[in-house]
Each structure stands twice: as structure tokens, then as C-alpha cells.
Amino acid sequence: MTVVVADDESVARAGMRDMLAGVEWLRVIGEATNGPAAVEAINRLKPDLAFLDIQMPGLLGTDVIRHITHQPFVIFTTAFAQHAASAFELGAVDYLLKPFGHERLAKSLERVRSAIGEPVSPSAIDRLRETLGTGPMTRLFVRSGNNVVPVAVGSVIRFEADGDYVVAHTDSARHMLHLSLNRLEARLDPKKFARIHRAHIVNMDRVTAFRRHNRTKLVAELSDGTRVPVSRERAKEIRDAGV
């Protein structure tokens, strides 16, 4: 397999070259020192695999995906754990959290080998573009065993913050997402989804009623029978709107 390595640090590129040199089924055919150069190298050289550092000048590694026309397997490299946490939602085959060594790289490459020849639907690039785009998301990509599967956003009844994660509730399942509720809210259609509480976003099409609870509090009753608290600020907005 042919490989392009993109990283703005020369030491990191040299270290990756040295480690990949010992892998007989890989051949490094190009390097890039910034985001725009990574786009040019990937589109021109058409590698099978790209190692993309996330923090690069010009374009972030995640932004490179929006501009490439060739679709390689992607492994992100990053020194920041918060980026690594959402790697699968971003559609990468894997991520490498710096600093990493031969053993961790070998595990990542095994994931690439496992993916070779297997049909991927939707493709990793589709997942990346869906997640990193600027418009409202129509699909989420969640882990199901060893697979990544799409879930229609419209099928989600509510999103609930759970520590550093978000749980998406549908009629048939609960899906754990590796991202914050704030980040998710920014990518949802505000005409369909509403943040009614710091820990809850609901699908307004699945709200059956807003009811008073304990006289002073308001709750949203959802189609699955769940009752979700409404914050005071949001409750006032709902009352003022006559909902």
C-alpha cells in the first residue's frame, strides 16, 4: 500500500518514516508539512493510506478531508486526547495519540489490513464529510460491535449528556457518542431539535406535551413515555411562545 504522511513537525515525519520503513507491505510515496500541501499530495499521488496530523498550519487535518477528491484510508495523529476521543465518529480507521511507538502503530496498521477489501457503506470519507460539514447533520455514525453504522438523526427522540459523552435515544436503542452536547447542538437542525435543558436536547416532533411538574417546574413528555426536565430559561420561552 502507498502512504502519504502529513505533519508539520519534521521530527514527527522522520519518526513515522523510520517506523513505516520496517513494514514490508507499505511504501511512503509523499510527505506534507501543512494542510494545503496535504490536500495537494493526496489528490496528486492518490495514496492508499494517509497519516494526517490534526494540528497543522493552513488547514487542520480534519479540514483536509473536505478538500480532497481522492479517498484513502485515514489515520489521524494527534497530541490532544480530546480529538482522539471522537476519531471513530469522524470516520478515521484509527487515531494515534502522540507519542506512540512501534507496538501502537502495528495495532493501527492491523485495522487497515482488516479493512482492505471489505465493502464500507457508508464510506469513511462520507462519514467525515457528514460530521465535519457546516450544515445540519442528517446521519450519526455509531459503534456497533466492530462496525460503524449510520443512524438517521430524525429517528433520535432525544440526546442526553452523560459525563463527557452524549447518549442518543431512539425507539429501539441507546447509542453512545464521543462528543459534547454543545458540539452536537451546533450541528443539529434548530427547527427540529431544541435544547430544553443543559443536559437534554429533544426532537420537537417527538414531544407530545409540555406539562407542569410540582407546580413550578415544567417537563417535556416524549413519544416513548420519557419525561425530560425543562430549564427555567427555556420554560419561560415556551410559555411566552404559547407552546
Side-chain angles (χ1 to χ4, degrees):
M1 295 182 66
T2 54
V3 180
V4 163
V5 176
D7 198 304
D8 62 314
E9 296 182 357
S10 59
V11 173
R13 294 195 308 276
M16 182 66 80
R17 277 199 314 270
D18 289 344
M19 286 192 285
L20 295 178
V23 183
E24 61 180 13
W25 54 278
L26 293 180
R27 178 168 60 94
V28 177
I29 59 172
E31 296 181 15
T33 60
N34 56 56
V39 172
E40 190 280 331
I42 291 172
N43 286 340
R44 175 172 53 85
L45 298 173
K46 297 178 172 52
D48 301 307
L49 172 64
F51 288 90
L52 296 179
D53 182 35
I54 290 182
Q55 296 289 339
M56 289 190 293
L59 284 173
L60 296 178
T62 48
D63 291 329
V64 167
I65 301 302
R66 300 179 188 171
H67 297 81
I68 57 177
T69 55
H70 176 67
Q71 301 182 1
F73 291 102
V74 174
I75 294 176
F76 285 126
T77 62
T78 176
F80 302 94
Q82 64 267 31
H83 294 307
S86 59
F88 289 115
E89 279 74 19
L90 292 176
V93 174
D94 199 3
Y95 70 88
L96 293 169
L97 186 60
K98 299 177 180 178
F100 56 87
H102 288 275
E103 184 177 350
R104 179 64 183 90
L105 176 62
K107 291 180 180 179
S108 190
L109 293 177
E110 279 306 307
R111 291 185 176 181
V112 175
R113 293 188 68 155
S114 296
I116 295 173
E118 294 183 2
V120 181
S121 179
S123 73
I125 298 299
D126 286 339
R127 300 202 303 272
L128 281 157
R129 286 178 174 154
E130 179 76 27
T131 305
L132 298 172
T134 56
M137 295 179 68
T138 59
R139 295 176 296 175
L140 298 167
F141 297 93
V142 300
R143 299 290 295 179
S144 178
N146 293 323
N147 300 315
V148 177
V149 297
V151 174
V153 171
S155 70
V156 178
I157 302 170
R158 62 189 175 97
F159 295 98
E160 178 183 12
D162 185 2
D164 294 331
Y165 303 95
V166 172
V167 179
H169 297 264
T170 67
D171 285 315
S172 59
R174 297 170 71 254
H175 303 288
M176 188 73 76
L177 307 176
H178 296 266
L179 75 170
S180 69
L181 203 63
N182 287 337
R183 179 182 170 194
L184 176 65
E185 182 183 15
R187 292 298 316 280
L188 294 173
D189 186 346
K191 296 179 181 178
K192 296 182 179 180
F193 289 88
R195 181 82 170 263
I196 64 171
H197 186 274
R198 62 181 177 81
H200 300 282
I201 295 174
V202 298
N203 184 337
M204 293 300 289
D205 290 338
R206 303 298 293 271
V207 176
T208 57
F210 288 99
R211 300 190 187 281
R212 290 192 179 279
H213 177 68
N214 293 338
R215 294 185 179 181
T216 59
K217 295 182 179 180
L218 195 67
V219 297
E221 290 188 356
L222 305 178
S223 59
D224 64 348
T226 303
R227 299 182 119 204
V228 178
V230 181
S231 68
R232 287 186 178 182
E233 180 181 356
R234 187 57 179 156
K236 184 179 184 302
E237 293 176 1
I238 292 170
R239 284 195 296 269
D240 292 345
V243 177

